[in-house]
């Protein structure tokens, strides 16, 4: 049974929100545990009553209101604490895929922090089996292809880096869906260059490098990610806007930025949406992708982020389709997969435009 919603150009409405709702998309920057909807978090909190996370969905909404980035990390880690068994892992992964499919996401690279689970005592092999089982079920039932990015939680230091690298590169553990290696958590006080040896090992094992950088710090962190961690895409990169030379470098090398507008407001990395540097990125010719980061925690979803980007960048339907195709280009899908998804975006857009009265 497929639960993919069949929103066609003929049956959907005519506004940009309706166009976006049906637009086939790729999501490149979304966190596994950070995608837990209030319904899932509530279910997990009820399963683990010793947690400090509220069970009541209304109380949860208040709990997810952040004062600053440090507070966000604190709340996030309390949700991490709810994932204690392989069954918790499987449930979360499968439900996240259902939510992506609802938004017409055909392909998603989900950032997973396996260290958070193995540190809690979940067996590494059982963890890998849980995510792979959910991935295969999601692909056959929802039609959404999932791939994994294993990321180092920067706040947990080099022990976490070592364990994440081991889980990502050990042939007996490494899951089939793993394509990339990342680095998240706070940037202030957590210099990127110290993670170089771990990224070197992951890259040598065939993984792509996709660290967060310049989310809450300046362009120097993005340069570190490019030079030391050999980043192929940058998570956020907000601070890059302050360095024209860096923007030119990103544009020339087609190194995409994974922009997550609402997240940047929620964590106070950017003060107001109208001040978001996405316009500077686009003007500089940088390959901009739009993503949702930790959507339920920030009260958003990928479709909402596309609507925000449409407003900030003044995009019509063709502009939105081009934005969706940027994510396809920047993804780690294989070449036939990229061609197929880009063609699906084009076909949807052409059908939408031809079914409307002339403007
Ligand atoms: Zn992120």
């Amino acid at each position: 049974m497929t639960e993919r919603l069949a929103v066609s150009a003929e049956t959907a409405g005519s506004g940009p929100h309706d166009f976006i709702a049906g637009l086939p998309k790729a999501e490149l920057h979304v966190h596994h545990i950070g995608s837990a909807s209030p319904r899932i978090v509530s279910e997990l909190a009820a399963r683990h009553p010793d947690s400090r996370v509220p069970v009541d969905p209304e109380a949860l909404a208040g709990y997810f209101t952040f004062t600053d980035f440090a507070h966000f990390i604190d709340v996030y880690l309390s949700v991490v604490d709810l994932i204690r068994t392989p069954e918790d892992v499987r449930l979360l992964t499968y439900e996240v895929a259902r939510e992506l499919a609802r938004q017409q996401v055909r392909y998603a690279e989900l950032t997973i922090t396996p260290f958070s689970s193995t540190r809690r005592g979940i067996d590494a092999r059982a963890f890998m089996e849980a995510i792979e089982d959910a991935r295969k079920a999601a692909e056959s039932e929802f039609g959404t292809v999932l791939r994994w990015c294993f990321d180092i939680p920067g706040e947990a230091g080099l022990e976490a880096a070592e364990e994440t690298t081991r889980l990502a590169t050990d042939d007996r553990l490494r899951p089939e869906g793993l394509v990339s290696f990342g680095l998240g958590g706070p940037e202030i006080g957590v210099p990127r260059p110290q993670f170089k040896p771990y990224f070197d090992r992951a890259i040598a094992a065939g993984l792509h490098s996709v660290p967060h950088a310049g989310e809450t710090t300046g362009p120097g962190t993005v340069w570190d990610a490019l030079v030391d961690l050999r980043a192929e895409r940058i998570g956020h990169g907000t601070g890059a806007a302050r360095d024209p030379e860096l923007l030119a470098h990103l544009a020339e090398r087609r190194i995409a930025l994974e922009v997550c507008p609402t997240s940047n407001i929620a964590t106070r990395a950017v003060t107001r949406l109208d001040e978001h540097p996405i316009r500077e990125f686009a003007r500089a010719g940088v390959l901009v992708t739009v993503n949702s980061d930790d959507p339920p925690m920030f009260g958003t979803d990928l479709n909402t982020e596309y609507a925000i980007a449409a407003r900030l960048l003044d995009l019509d339907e063709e502009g939105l389709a081009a934005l969706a195709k940027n994510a396809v280009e920047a993804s780690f899908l294989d070449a036939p997969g990229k061609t197929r998804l880009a063609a699906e975006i084009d076909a949807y857009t052409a059908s939408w435009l031809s079914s409307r009265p002339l403007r």
Side-chain angles (χ1 to χ4, degrees):
M1 186 189 78
T2 176
E3 291 197 27
R4 183 193 291 178
L5 295 177
V7 179
S8 73
E10 286 74 28
T11 56
S14 59
H17 289 275
D18 297 312
F19 175 78
I20 291 166
L23 179 65
K25 287 174 286 288
E27 162 70 274
L28 304 182
H29 188 127
V30 64
H31 294 264
H32 185 223
I33 289 176
S35 296
S37 66
R39 180 176 63 80
I40 303 297
V41 172
S42 160
E43 197 175 315
L44 291 165
R47 270 189 202 188
H48 305 297
D50 59 313
S51 158
R52 62 190 166 99
V53 178
V55 173
D56 172 53
E58 267 181 43
L60 265 175
Y63 189 73
F64 282 173
T65 305
F66 311 113
T67 51
D68 58 19
F69 192 74
H71 182 221
F72 161 69
I73 296 282
D74 185 48
V75 170
Y76 187 90
L77 293 176
S78 73
V79 177
V80 168
D81 177 59
L82 293 174
I83 309 297
R84 301 181 185 181
T85 69
E87 183 43 40
D88 294 337
V89 174
R90 191 199 178 279
L91 172 87
L92 171 67
T93 314
Y94 181 79
E95 292 300 328
V96 168
R98 185 202 302 277
E99 176 56 22
L100 290 166
R102 182 187 65 75
Q103 300 181 74
Q104 308 304 315
V105 174
R106 302 286 192 265
Y107 172 84
E109 291 171 16
L110 198 56
T111 296
I112 295 185
T113 313
F115 177 74
S116 307
S117 293
T118 57
R119 181 178 50 179
R120 289 204 60 85
I122 296 181
D123 175 69
R125 197 177 302 275
F127 180 88
M128 304 304 174
E129 282 169 8
I131 59 173
E132 284 292 300
D133 185 53
R135 178 175 73 81
K136 289 170 187 162
E139 188 165 338
S140 69
E141 293 173 36
F142 307 139
T144 296
V145 173
L146 295 180
R147 292 290 181 266
W148 318 126
C149 168
F150 278 4
D151 84 328
I152 299 169
E155 73 282 358
L158 299 185
E159 180 207 348
E162 177 59 42
E163 172 70 350
T164 307
T165 310
R166 181 183 78 84
L167 296 169
T169 60
D170 183 334
D171 287 340
R172 290 160 302 174
L173 290 172
R174 174 183 171 157
E176 208 182 313
L178 184 67
V179 293
S180 61
F181 196 72
L183 169 62
E187 292 174 30
I188 296 165
V190 188
R192 310 284 99 171
Q194 65 183 313
F195 299 104
K196 179 179 181 344
Y198 307 98
F199 274 76
D200 283 346
R201 281 161 58 194
I203 293 166
L207 297 175
H208 297 282
S209 168
V210 287
H212 288 56
E215 180 180 8
T216 55
T217 58
T221 315
V222 179
W223 281 118
D224 287 346
L226 293 169
V227 174
D228 291 311
L229 311 183
R230 291 186 272 160
E232 293 167 68
R233 291 195 316 247
I234 298 286
H236 297 283
T238 316
R242 289 181 246 153
D243 183 345
E245 195 191 326
L246 174 55
L247 290 179
H249 179 86
L250 294 170
E252 190 192 314
R253 305 287 174 93
R254 300 295 277 171
I255 295 170
L257 296 182
E258 300 159 1
V259 177
C260 311
T262 298
S263 160
N264 295 151
I265 302 300
T267 60
R268 313 290 200 267
V270 174
T271 314
R272 295 169 54 238
L273 270 181
D274 286 318
E275 291 169 13
H276 198 285
I278 190 170
R279 289 191 185 103
E280 280 85 70
F281 299 154
R283 258 199 302 271
V286 175
L287 187 62
V288 170
T289 69
V290 168
N291 306 276
S292 64
D293 209 8
D294 303 292
M297 294 194 180
F298 299 142
T300 191
D301 60 17
L302 186 60
N303 288 345
T304 304
E305 299 306 289
Y306 267 71
I308 290 168
R311 182 172 72 74
L312 294 178
L313 299 175
D314 194 24
L315 302 177
D316 59 9
E317 288 90 342
E318 280 165 334
L320 281 161
L323 186 66
K325 287 201 283 184
N326 282 357
V328 176
E329 177 185 338
S331 77
F332 301 126
L333 258 171
D334 58 14
K338 286 186 180 186
T339 304
R340 235 184 351 259
L341 184 46
E344 196 186 348
I345 292 168
D346 283 339
Y348 169 81
T349 307
S351 162
W352 175 278
L353 293 175
S354 69
S355 70
R356 281 189 326 190
L358 290 174
R359 279 194 273 204

